[in-house]
Amino acid sequence: MKSDNRRQGIMDFLVDAGAASVDDLASRFGVSRMTVHRDLDELEESGFLRKVRGGASIQPSSLFESDFRYRQKQAIGEKVRLAAAAVAMIEPGQTVIIDDGSTAGGIARHLADLKPLTVITNNLAVIQDLAGAGGINLIALGGQYSKKFHGFFGLLAEASLRSLRADVAFLSSSAIHGASAFHQDQEVVQAKRLMMAAATRKYLLVDHGKFGRSALHFLTDLKAFDAVFTGREPEPGMRATLDAAGVSLTVVADKD
């Protein structure tokens, strides 16, 4: 097996498993442990995984955000509820921004019922979902494609956002610490901040597992959003912190 194919195979396995040991990978792909280490070094340098003692992981940390394919498989039911609830914030004829996150991206499947709409996004999954959809004026942000985030970032995307205005923006974040949102990647943070600046109203969609986490880069205080949607009531101490900071929290609980 060629090295590129093997490294893709390692990533495919980690997307399902989350983590794996060097020994497991060596056995699975029929190569030496040294070869696996070289593969993991290459994948880590490209930002696709993080090496841990005895193996590798694509689970998030304060410095590392997971591959989008892994994130798409996490808290699926909760993300569906959040997207469905957030759609109530949109009216036909408006301009909507959707960021690269898998949670905010779930809104796209609901938009056909609200047409006409203009949708601005750097999220390739949203672009693919809405391309050619009747009644949707789709504005795809340019920029450098990130395979890890499945979206477009960098100077071109940022320049486009500075020239646009929208009625509402839907964002996601990888970590909520105290009453603030954080993210591991500075380029992603910059794009999200410009989306917020371009929109009259701003909503954050985060599954409950994001609360109590931290990441390297400060994104914004949560009170900057008109509302924060999550799928489970935070623990009492965390809820008190959010209320004291003036955060408008909407809990979209599972009805089952």
Side-chain angles (χ1 to χ4, degrees):
M1 180 182 293
K2 293 182 179 180
S3 60
D4 287 346
N5 292 337
R6 186 176 60 251
R7 290 166 186 165
Q8 184 59 57
I10 290 173
M11 284 302 303
D12 291 341
F13 179 71
L14 289 172
V15 163
D16 291 328
S21 70
V22 171
D23 289 338
D24 286 344
L25 293 173
S27 175
R28 175 173 292 273
F29 293 99
V31 294
S32 68
R33 296 178 78 256
M34 185 61 70
T35 297
V36 171
H37 275 294
R38 285 197 296 267
D39 288 340
L40 297 182
D41 286 341
E42 179 70 25
L43 290 167
E44 183 178 49
E45 186 175 348
S46 298
F48 291 114
L49 56 76
R50 57 189 178 95
K51 291 187 74 175
V52 297
R53 184 181 296 275
S57 172
I58 60 169
Q59 296 165 340
S61 72
S62 63
L63 297 176
F64 176 84
E65 173 62 309
S66 303
D67 184 282
F68 85 97
R69 294 177 298 161
Y70 180 77
R71 287 183 280 117
Q72 281 182 326
K73 296 184 176 184
Q74 309 305 307
I76 295 174
E78 184 174 353
K79 291 177 180 179
V80 170
R81 297 200 311 272
L82 296 180
V87 170
M89 304 296 107
I90 306 172
E91 297 179 4
Q94 290 187 327
T95 298
V96 179
I97 295 177
I98 301 176
D99 80 352
D100 65 288
S102 60
T103 307
I107 291 172
R109 65 178 62 94
H110 299 282
L111 297 184
D113 297 331
L114 294 170
K115 60 187 180 182
L117 287 175
T118 294
V119 177
I120 302 167
T121 187
N122 65 336
N123 187 324
L124 184 54
V126 173
I127 293 169
Q128 292 168 331
D129 285 345
L130 297 181
I136 302 293
N137 177 31
L138 179 62
I139 300 176
L141 296 172
Q144 184 74 31
Y145 173 69
S146 167
K147 183 177 180 180
K148 177 177 177 177
F149 293 107
H150 203 45
F152 297 88
F153 302 91
L155 295 177
L156 291 176
E158 293 166 15
S160 296
L161 284 167
R162 289 189 178 96
S163 69
L164 296 167
R165 290 295 178 268
D167 296 293
V168 57
F170 295 98
L171 283 78
S172 306
S173 184
S174 58
I176 304 296
H177 183 72
S180 300
F182 292 80
H183 199 280
Q184 298 89 340
D185 188 280
Q186 60 184 345
E187 232 178 18
V188 174
V189 166
Q190 180 65 2
K192 291 178 187 291
R193 285 179 176 173
L194 288 170
M195 289 177 175
M196 293 178 68
T200 302
R201 292 180 290 117
K202 299 162 276 289
Y203 299 96
L204 183 70
L205 280 61
V206 284
D207 67 76
H208 73 277
K210 304 296 173 57
F211 287 87
R213 290 185 182 176
S214 187
L216 180 61
H217 298 289
F218 171 78
L219 171 58
T220 185
D221 291 325
L222 296 182
K223 65 182 179 182
F225 295 98
D226 292 85
V228 176
F229 288 81
T230 191
R232 185 184 299 177
E233 182 70 33
E235 56 89 17
M238 188 172 297
R239 181 63 194 247
T241 297
L242 298 173
D243 290 343
V247 177
S248 176
L249 185 68
T250 299
V251 178
V252 187
D254 190 346
K255 296 179 181 180
D256 295 335

